[in-house]
Amino acid sequence: MSSVLVIAGSDSSGGAGLTRDVRTLTQLDTRALCVVTAVTAQSDRQFTAVHVVPAEIVQAQMTATLATCRVDAIKIGMLATRATVLAVAATLPATAPPLVLDPVLASSSGGELLDEAGRSALCAALLAFGPQAVLLKGGHGEGPEATDLLLASNAPPRWLRAPRISAVRRGTGCALSSAIAAGLAAGLELTTACERAKQHVTRMLQHAD
């Protein structure tokens, strides 16, 4: 079984964050390794509080996991602060496995999940790693299809299409990025991993209550 290291915050309602990441990876037969960056108190309707895990503790979690576990891909979600961004960037291995960054900026229930200084630091760290592809999501658009655009450095642009579903469910971004990481961890080519991930999210929305 392949393994994905998830670096993200928790969500007390279980709708997004680490809970959604772990659920997604389990559904895709992938082992989840977890580094907690923050603890949030939120629901579908409101965001009430956040406790940021100190950057040195985030770094210690990463160091321990990378030293003792096989990691086939890394998914990064909520980072909360500049200090955490810098700590994560500094701790990633020089020869990192496939890395999926979901730049979580705000909760759909209204809370800020990455401060302004953190956003600037994230952009600098991302450029330093030399991203090879970007997936632009179209789930909040209009029309009969939810269309995403995959831009890769070594391939022409690729449109990923699925029927638009009116159901609303928090954590779709977490699920999508975790599913992509699961595919890459399993050795799938990037486009295939993204297509499979989009199919997973579509099924998730189809079964939303």
Side-chain angles (χ1 to χ4, degrees), residues 18 24 29 55 65 103 107 130 138 187-188:
L18 277 170
T24 299
D29 297 321
T65 304
S107 166
L188 298 182

Side-chain angles (χ1 to χ4, degrees), residues 11-153:
D11 174 356
S12 59
S13 72
L18 277 170
T19 304
R20 179 66 68 189
D21 295 323
V22 172
R23 186 180 306 163
T24 299
L25 293 171
T26 300
Q27 291 169 339
L28 296 174
D29 297 321
T30 305
R31 181 187 181 200
L33 309 169
C34 298
V35 168
V36 183
T37 60
V39 178
T40 70
Q42 58 180 306
S43 67
D44 291 347
R45 298 182 179 180
Q46 62 180 345
F47 184 99
T48 57
V50 57
H51 169 73
V52 176
V53 175
E56 62 269 21
I57 301 300
V58 173
Q59 193 167 40
Q61 293 178 77
M62 289 180 64
T63 299
T65 304
L66 291 168
T68 57
C69 301
R70 191 188 82 240
V71 176
D72 300 301
I74 299 174
K75 177 264 169 93
I76 300 175
M78 176 185 178
L79 294 177
T81 68
R82 180 178 185 273
T84 301
V85 170
L86 297 178
V88 169
T91 313
L92 289 171
T95 54
L99 177 64
V100 177
L101 173 65
D102 178 13
V104 178
L105 306 181
S107 166
S108 57
S109 55
E112 182 180 71
L113 302 182
L114 183 63
D115 60 25
E116 193 61 39
R119 297 182 189 198
S120 298
L122 182 65
C123 291
L126 179 61
L127 288 174
F129 275 94
Q132 300 299 306
V134 175
L135 180 64
L136 303 175
K137 300 185 297 180
H140 293 290
E142 299 179 350
E145 289 187 324
T147 304
D148 303 340
L149 177 60
L150 177 63
L151 301 171
S153 60

